[in-house]
Amino acid sequence: MLPEPGPVRLLAGATLINTFGNGVSMASVALFLTRSVGLSVRETGLALTVTALVCLVSSAPMGYVADRRGPRGVLLAGLLVLCAGSAALVTVQDFWTYLLVGVPMAVGDAAQRAAKGAVIAGAVPADRRVYTRAYLRSVTNAGIAAGAAVAGIGLAVDTRQAYLTLIAIDAVTYAGAALVLRRLAPVPAAPKRQDGPRLVALRDRPFLAFVVLDGLMATHFGLFEVALPLWIAHRTDAPRWLIAVLFGINTTAVVLFQVRAARGTEELPGAARASRRAGLALFAACGLFALSGGVSMPVTVALLVLGSMVHVAAELWHSAAGWGISFGLAPPDAHGQYQGAYAMGMQLGQMLAPFVVTTLAVGWGAPGWLLLGAAFAVLGSLVPPVVAWARASAAAHGPTPAVSSRTP
């Protein structure tokens, strides 16, 4: 349950503190903007979309900065920017003042995400990087769940002072995470390349192909977080409290089994196979969700529970595959920007997810579920040949990362 003393334990402690604050913020920021600041629902959605786009386009450049300046320093700087920005939210009065605070926070968020990946690459042995990512994801889910529970108290009170208290908690957690990470030994900056483009990750076509495939597969997070609750509430006769039960199953499974599911994905062949396996499992989960409409309630509940269990297995494999591939294909001197580019795909998928999954699954019903499942199966099956292409391209153009020589 507890990693060995050293970088992984420090990263885990900082992650638990940080994601507790993330859980508080994720559960409350939209209501803070509408109920306390007075933004309309449309303005709130637009503001959050703009900041998400800023975070997306900043990811690879901030990763480059982490490579050149040293990822530990960039990670700390990103957390401190987020701390200051979160505290400054108390001054927000309208749409534009939110953007003045939110845009720098989005850049800081992109910086700390990319830098954390580079810190893991530089401070943890190569064969422990995926394990570290898996362990941190388990910690992340636990932290977010605890933070969301605390946020529920503030949301129940529903006063401006309650929302400001939640914001203050979030700001303190950023500072606390930075304080823990100060104990982490500095990771040396990568030497500057003498020639060629600076943002090599954005010129690496095979890697970008993987990023697109992986990002499109990441829409399955919206499948569970957006489409399934709406499907249960509007297209089945299952009790609505089942939504909370399914979320509890998902969170518990990630906390308990993410590390185990990541075994075998430390090398590229195993990671590529895990991505293919995730796509097929998502196809099966979507099929079960499709069958849950129009049947008796006990059968509906059983199908939804079984589908959720298959979905979380796919989620575990998909996450582990992405870590193994993003680490394995990155040159030793560019982990920051490759982790940033990898994050761009995930962010793109999560931005597309609400529209795609609600249109197909909720709007079209069973045929939409099956179409989504088939798309996931195809995306996952394309990852192994794309990884093989990336490795062949790296072998033809320069030194390859230290990974297994077998092909997926």
Side-chain angles (χ1 to χ4, degrees):
M1 295 295 293
L2 191 66
E4 65 279 3
V8 180
R9 184 176 292 189
L10 290 173
L11 285 165
T15 298
L16 183 62
I17 295 169
N18 187 21
T19 54
F20 176 83
N22 291 161
V24 171
S25 175
M26 289 166 60
S28 61
V29 66
L31 287 176
F32 165 71
L33 292 175
T34 54
R35 307 273 301 170
S36 181
V37 177
L39 270 61
S40 68
V41 172
R42 178 178 174 276
E43 288 176 322
T44 299
L46 179 59
L48 296 177
T49 299
V50 168
T51 55
L53 281 171
V54 171
C55 185
L56 187 152
V57 301
S58 302
S59 294
M62 288 297 100
Y64 173 82
V65 174
D67 289 329
R68 297 287 80 81
R69 299 293 184 182
R72 175 183 171 272
V74 173
L75 174 57
L76 292 174
L79 289 171
L80 293 177
V81 168
L82 288 166
C83 174
S86 186
L89 285 175
V90 301
T91 67
V92 170
Q93 298 177 345
D94 54 29
F95 176 83
W96 295 108
T97 54
Y98 174 75
L99 289 186
L100 286 174
V101 175
V103 168
M105 288 184 69
V107 176
D109 191 34
Q112 67 93 16
R113 288 174 186 268
K116 181 182 287 187
V119 165
I120 294 171
V124 178
D127 62 350
R128 298 286 285 173
R129 291 170 183 167
V130 173
Y131 160 81
T132 301
R133 277 287 201 184
Y135 188 87
L136 294 183
R137 185 162 190 261
S138 296
V139 172
T140 293
N141 270 43
I144 287 176
V150 170
I153 300 172
L155 298 181
V157 175
D158 194 30
T159 63
R160 178 168 176 80
Q161 189 58 48
Y163 288 116
L164 295 181
T165 300
L166 295 177
I167 289 171
I169 292 172
D170 189 30
V172 169
T173 60
Y174 285 123
L179 191 62
V180 171
L181 289 174
R182 285 193 61 194
R183 298 170 56 195
L184 191 68
V187 177
K192 185 177 181 180
R193 296 190 172 206
Q194 298 301 314
D195 53 14
R198 292 185 177 181
L199 294 177
V200 292
L202 300 184
R203 301 292 187 94
D204 188 337
R205 288 182 294 175
F207 183 76
L208 290 181
F210 158 71
V211 167
V212 171
L213 293 175
D214 190 75
L216 291 175
M217 279 192 69
T219 57
H220 75 77
F221 290 103
L223 195 77
F224 194 80
E225 297 168 1
V226 180
L228 191 59
L230 293 174
W231 174 259
I232 291 172
H234 299 289
R235 301 293 292 269
T236 77
D237 59 355
R240 295 190 179 184
W241 52 259
L242 183 63
I243 297 170
V245 173
L246 298 183
F247 271 89
I249 291 173
N250 181 275
T251 301
T252 302
V254 172
V255 172
L256 295 179
F257 300 117
Q258 182 64 81
V259 173
R260 181 175 299 180
R263 292 173 184 169
T265 61
E266 299 87 354
E267 297 181 340
L268 286 172
R273 288 193 296 269
S275 187
R276 180 170 54 206
R277 192 160 60 243
L280 296 174
L282 286 169
F283 188 17
C286 288
L288 291 167
F289 293 145
L291 292 173
S292 68
V295 293
S296 64
M297 188 176 73
V299 176
T300 295
V301 171
L303 288 169
L304 290 170
V305 170
L306 181 58
S308 297
M309 294 172 68
V310 175
H311 176 275
V312 75
E315 178 182 333
L316 298 176
W317 287 325
H318 171 243
S319 297
W323 302 324
I325 294 169
S326 63
F327 280 129
L329 293 180
D333 63 342
H335 275 291
Q337 58 176 293
Y338 270 71
Q339 289 298 308
Y342 167 62
M344 288 173 64
M346 297 291 290
Q347 292 160 355
L348 176 63
Q350 290 171 6
M351 287 177 60
L352 294 174
F355 173 76
V356 172
V357 301
T358 53
T359 299
L360 293 180
V362 183
W364 291 9
W369 280 111
L370 295 176
L371 180 58
L372 275 170
F376 288 132
V378 170
L379 290 167
S381 297
L382 288 174
V383 170
V386 167
V387 170
W389 172 32
R391 297 181 67 195
S393 177
H397 293 92
T400 58
V403 294
S404 170
S405 60
R406 292 171 290 166
T407 56

PDB file of all heavy atoms in Angstrom, residues 223-240:
ATOM      1  N   LEU A 223     -18.089   8.727 -21.474  1.00  0.00           N
ATOM      2  CA  LEU A 223     -19.090   7.663 -21.569  1.00  0.00           C
ATOM      3  C   LEU A 223     -19.627   7.321 -20.190  1.00  0.00           C
ATOM      4  O   LEU A 223     -20.837   7.190 -19.981  1.00  0.00           O
ATOM      5  CB  LEU A 223     -18.419   6.436 -22.196  1.00  0.00           C
ATOM      6  CG  LEU A 223     -19.267   5.296 -22.722  1.00  0.00           C
ATOM      7  CD1 LEU A 223     -19.865   5.676 -24.057  1.00  0.00           C
ATOM      8  CD2 LEU A 223     -18.400   4.050 -22.888  1.00  0.00           C
ATOM      9  N   PHE A 224     -18.722   7.193 -19.241  1.00  0.00           N
ATOM     10  CA  PHE A 224     -19.120   6.796 -17.891  1.00  0.00           C
ATOM     11  C   PHE A 224     -19.610   7.983 -17.073  1.00  0.00           C
ATOM     12  O   PHE A 224     -20.572   7.862 -16.314  1.00  0.00           O
ATOM     13  CB  PHE A 224     -17.934   6.131 -17.181  1.00  0.00           C
ATOM     14  CG  PHE A 224     -18.315   5.401 -15.931  1.00  0.00           C
ATOM     15  CD1 PHE A 224     -18.855   4.135 -16.003  1.00  0.00           C
ATOM     16  CD2 PHE A 224     -18.147   5.980 -14.694  1.00  0.00           C
ATOM     17  CE1 PHE A 224     -19.238   3.456 -14.855  1.00  0.00           C
ATOM     18  CE2 PHE A 224     -18.516   5.316 -13.539  1.00  0.00           C
ATOM     19  CZ  PHE A 224     -19.063   4.044 -13.615  1.00  0.00           C
ATOM     20  N   GLU A 225     -18.961   9.144 -17.244  1.00  0.00           N
ATOM     21  CA  GLU A 225     -19.272  10.286 -16.399  1.00  0.00           C
ATOM     22  C   GLU A 225     -20.491  11.072 -16.878  1.00  0.00           C
ATOM     23  O   GLU A 225     -21.155  11.735 -16.075  1.00  0.00           O
ATOM     24  CB  GLU A 225     -18.067  11.217 -16.325  1.00  0.00           C
ATOM     25  CG  GLU A 225     -16.839  10.579 -15.677  1.00  0.00           C
ATOM     26  CD  GLU A 225     -15.580  11.395 -15.878  1.00  0.00           C
ATOM     27  OE1 GLU A 225     -15.677  12.475 -16.504  1.00  0.00           O
ATOM     28  OE2 GLU A 225     -14.513  10.959 -15.428  1.00  0.00           O
ATOM     29  N   VAL A 226     -20.775  11.032 -18.189  1.00  0.00           N
ATOM     30  CA  VAL A 226     -21.853  11.850 -18.750  1.00  0.00           C
ATOM     31  C   VAL A 226     -22.980  10.990 -19.325  1.00  0.00           C
ATOM     32  O   VAL A 226     -24.138  11.105 -18.933  1.00  0.00           O
ATOM     33  CB  VAL A 226     -21.312  12.798 -19.842  1.00  0.00           C
ATOM     34  CG1 VAL A 226     -22.450  13.640 -20.423  1.00  0.00           C
ATOM     35  CG2 VAL A 226     -20.213  13.697 -19.284  1.00  0.00           C
ATOM     36  N   ALA A 227     -22.639  10.112 -20.262  1.00  0.00           N
ATOM     37  CA  ALA A 227     -23.667   9.368 -20.985  1.00  0.00           C
ATOM     38  C   ALA A 227     -24.400   8.375 -20.093  1.00  0.00           C
ATOM     39  O   ALA A 227     -25.633   8.279 -20.141  1.00  0.00           O
ATOM     40  CB  ALA A 227     -23.046   8.640 -22.179  1.00  0.00           C
ATOM     41  N   LEU A 228     -23.664   7.632 -19.289  1.00  0.00           N
ATOM     42  CA  LEU A 228     -24.308   6.590 -18.491  1.00  0.00           C
ATOM     43  C   LEU A 228     -25.308   7.158 -17.471  1.00  0.00           C
ATOM     44  O   LEU A 228     -26.429   6.629 -17.353  1.00  0.00           O
ATOM     45  CB  LEU A 228     -23.250   5.726 -17.810  1.00  0.00           C
ATOM     46  CG  LEU A 228     -23.765   4.437 -17.161  1.00  0.00           C
ATOM     47  CD1 LEU A 228     -24.443   3.546 -18.193  1.00  0.00           C
ATOM     48  CD2 LEU A 228     -22.615   3.685 -16.500  1.00  0.00           C
ATOM     49  N   PRO A 229     -24.962   8.220 -16.724  1.00  0.00           N
ATOM     50  CA  PRO A 229     -25.984   8.785 -15.815  1.00  0.00           C
ATOM     51  C   PRO A 229     -27.247   9.246 -16.553  1.00  0.00           C
ATOM     52  O   PRO A 229     -28.363   9.023 -16.077  1.00  0.00           O
ATOM     53  CB  PRO A 229     -25.252   9.966 -15.163  1.00  0.00           C
ATOM     54  CG  PRO A 229     -23.818   9.585 -15.225  1.00  0.00           C
ATOM     55  CD  PRO A 229     -23.653   8.864 -16.527  1.00  0.00           C
ATOM     56  N   LEU A 230     -27.058   9.889 -17.723  1.00  0.00           N
ATOM     57  CA  LEU A 230     -28.225  10.335 -18.488  1.00  0.00           C
ATOM     58  C   LEU A 230     -29.012   9.147 -19.026  1.00  0.00           C
ATOM     59  O   LEU A 230     -30.252   9.166 -19.060  1.00  0.00           O
ATOM     60  CB  LEU A 230     -27.773  11.238 -19.643  1.00  0.00           C
ATOM     61  CG  LEU A 230     -27.158  12.585 -19.241  1.00  0.00           C
ATOM     62  CD1 LEU A 230     -26.629  13.315 -20.466  1.00  0.00           C
ATOM     63  CD2 LEU A 230     -28.169  13.442 -18.502  1.00  0.00           C
ATOM     64  N   TRP A 231     -28.317   8.114 -19.456  1.00  0.00           N
ATOM     65  CA  TRP A 231     -28.962   6.904 -19.960  1.00  0.00           C
ATOM     66  C   TRP A 231     -29.805   6.254 -18.849  1.00  0.00           C
ATOM     67  O   TRP A 231     -30.955   5.868 -19.072  1.00  0.00           O
ATOM     68  CB  TRP A 231     -27.893   5.945 -20.460  1.00  0.00           C
ATOM     69  CG  TRP A 231     -28.391   4.585 -20.882  1.00  0.00           C
ATOM     70  CD1 TRP A 231     -28.324   3.428 -20.162  1.00  0.00           C
ATOM     71  CD2 TRP A 231     -28.989   4.241 -22.133  1.00  0.00           C
ATOM     72  NE1 TRP A 231     -28.852   2.386 -20.874  1.00  0.00           N
ATOM     73  CE2 TRP A 231     -29.265   2.851 -22.092  1.00  0.00           C
ATOM     74  CE3 TRP A 231     -29.316   4.964 -23.269  1.00  0.00           C
ATOM     75  CZ2 TRP A 231     -29.852   2.177 -23.159  1.00  0.00           C
ATOM     76  CZ3 TRP A 231     -29.914   4.280 -24.343  1.00  0.00           C
ATOM     77  CH2 TRP A 231     -30.176   2.919 -24.281  1.00  0.00           C
ATOM     78  N   ILE A 232     -29.234   6.134 -17.666  1.00  0.00           N
ATOM     79  CA  ILE A 232     -29.954   5.514 -16.548  1.00  0.00           C
ATOM     80  C   ILE A 232     -31.185   6.338 -16.179  1.00  0.00           C
ATOM     81  O   ILE A 232     -32.279   5.801 -15.956  1.00  0.00           O
ATOM     82  CB  ILE A 232     -29.017   5.362 -15.334  1.00  0.00           C
ATOM     83  CG1 ILE A 232     -27.942   4.299 -15.630  1.00  0.00           C
ATOM     84  CG2 ILE A 232     -29.793   4.990 -14.085  1.00  0.00           C
ATOM     85  CD1 ILE A 232     -26.846   4.217 -14.578  1.00  0.00           C
ATOM     86  N   ALA A 233     -31.015   7.666 -16.142  1.00  0.00           N
ATOM     87  CA  ALA A 233     -32.104   8.535 -15.688  1.00  0.00           C
ATOM     88  C   ALA A 233     -33.231   8.649 -16.708  1.00  0.00           C
ATOM     89  O   ALA A 233     -34.407   8.762 -16.325  1.00  0.00           O
ATOM     90  CB  ALA A 233     -31.553   9.916 -15.362  1.00  0.00           C
ATOM     91  N   HIS A 234     -32.896   8.611 -18.005  1.00  0.00           N
ATOM     92  CA  HIS A 234     -33.897   8.932 -19.026  1.00  0.00           C
ATOM     93  C   HIS A 234     -34.276   7.780 -19.955  1.00  0.00           C
ATOM     94  O   HIS A 234     -35.312   7.859 -20.610  1.00  0.00           O
ATOM     95  CB  HIS A 234     -33.402  10.111 -19.878  1.00  0.00           C
ATOM     96  CG  HIS A 234     -33.179  11.360 -19.106  1.00  0.00           C
ATOM     97  ND1 HIS A 234     -34.198  12.120 -18.575  1.00  0.00           N
ATOM     98  CD2 HIS A 234     -32.032  11.995 -18.737  1.00  0.00           C
ATOM     99  CE1 HIS A 234     -33.700  13.168 -17.939  1.00  0.00           C
ATOM    100  NE2 HIS A 234     -32.380  13.107 -18.022  1.00  0.00           N
ATOM    101  N   ARG A 235     -33.447   6.728 -20.004  1.00  0.00           N
ATOM    102  CA  ARG A 235     -33.731   5.674 -20.986  1.00  0.00           C
ATOM    103  C   ARG A 235     -33.896   4.288 -20.350  1.00  0.00           C
ATOM    104  O   ARG A 235     -34.028   3.302 -21.071  1.00  0.00           O
ATOM    105  CB  ARG A 235     -32.611   5.632 -22.038  1.00  0.00           C
ATOM    106  CG  ARG A 235     -32.396   6.923 -22.809  1.00  0.00           C
ATOM    107  CD  ARG A 235     -33.586   7.247 -23.703  1.00  0.00           C
ATOM    108  NE  ARG A 235     -33.704   6.302 -24.793  1.00  0.00           N
ATOM    109  CZ  ARG A 235     -33.136   6.455 -25.993  1.00  0.00           C
ATOM    110  NH1 ARG A 235     -32.383   7.529 -26.238  1.00  0.00           N
ATOM    111  NH2 ARG A 235     -33.297   5.556 -26.938  1.00  0.00           N
ATOM    112  N   THR A 236     -33.825   4.200 -19.020  1.00  0.00           N
ATOM    113  CA  THR A 236     -34.041   2.925 -18.334  1.00  0.00           C
ATOM    114  C   THR A 236     -34.971   3.152 -17.146  1.00  0.00           C
ATOM    115  O   THR A 236     -35.245   4.296 -16.760  1.00  0.00           O
ATOM    116  CB  THR A 236     -32.718   2.300 -17.822  1.00  0.00           C
ATOM    117  OG1 THR A 236     -32.308   2.980 -16.639  1.00  0.00           O
ATOM    118  CG2 THR A 236     -31.622   2.362 -18.861  1.00  0.00           C
ATOM    119  N   ASP A 237     -35.433   2.040 -16.564  1.00  0.00           N
ATOM    120  CA  ASP A 237     -36.254   2.142 -15.357  1.00  0.00           C
ATOM    121  C   ASP A 237     -35.459   1.820 -14.105  1.00  0.00           C
ATOM    122  O   ASP A 237     -36.027   1.551 -13.037  1.00  0.00           O
ATOM    123  CB  ASP A 237     -37.469   1.217 -15.461  1.00  0.00           C
ATOM    124  CG  ASP A 237     -37.076  -0.244 -15.652  1.00  0.00           C
ATOM    125  OD1 ASP A 237     -35.864  -0.520 -15.794  1.00  0.00           O
ATOM    126  OD2 ASP A 237     -37.983  -1.105 -15.676  1.00  0.00           O
ATOM    127  N   ALA A 238     -34.129   1.854 -14.201  1.00  0.00           N
ATOM    128  CA  ALA A 238     -33.281   1.601 -13.034  1.00  0.00           C
ATOM    129  C   ALA A 238     -33.386   2.760 -12.058  1.00  0.00           C
ATOM    130  O   ALA A 238     -33.583   3.916 -12.460  1.00  0.00           O
ATOM    131  CB  ALA A 238     -31.833   1.416 -13.473  1.00  0.00           C
ATOM    132  N   PRO A 239     -33.255   2.494 -10.764  1.00  0.00           N
ATOM    133  CA  PRO A 239     -33.297   3.596  -9.777  1.00  0.00           C
ATOM    134  C   PRO A 239     -32.113   4.537  -9.966  1.00  0.00           C
ATOM    135  O   PRO A 239     -31.002   4.105 -10.285  1.00  0.00           O
ATOM    136  CB  PRO A 239     -33.218   2.863  -8.437  1.00  0.00           C
ATOM    137  CG  PRO A 239     -32.580   1.539  -8.746  1.00  0.00           C
ATOM    138  CD  PRO A 239     -33.041   1.179 -10.127  1.00  0.00           C
ATOM    139  N   ARG A 240     -32.335   5.798  -9.759  1.00  0.00           N
ATOM    140  CA  ARG A 240     -31.279   6.776 -10.010  1.00  0.00           C
ATOM    141  C   ARG A 240     -30.128   6.670  -9.024  1.00  0.00           C
ATOM    142  O   ARG A 240     -29.012   7.071  -9.333  1.00  0.00           O
ATOM    143  CB  ARG A 240     -31.863   8.196  -9.995  1.00  0.00           C
ATOM    144  CG  ARG A 240     -32.855   8.414 -11.132  1.00  0.00           C
ATOM    145  CD  ARG A 240     -33.258   9.862 -11.297  1.00  0.00           C
ATOM    146  NE  ARG A 240     -34.195  10.016 -12.404  1.00  0.00           N
ATOM    147  CZ  ARG A 240     -34.658  11.191 -12.825  1.00  0.00           C
ATOM    148  NH1 ARG A 240     -34.283  12.306 -12.204  1.00  0.00           N
ATOM    149  NH2 ARG A 240     -35.500  11.250 -13.831  1.00  0.00           N
TER     150      ARG A 240
END
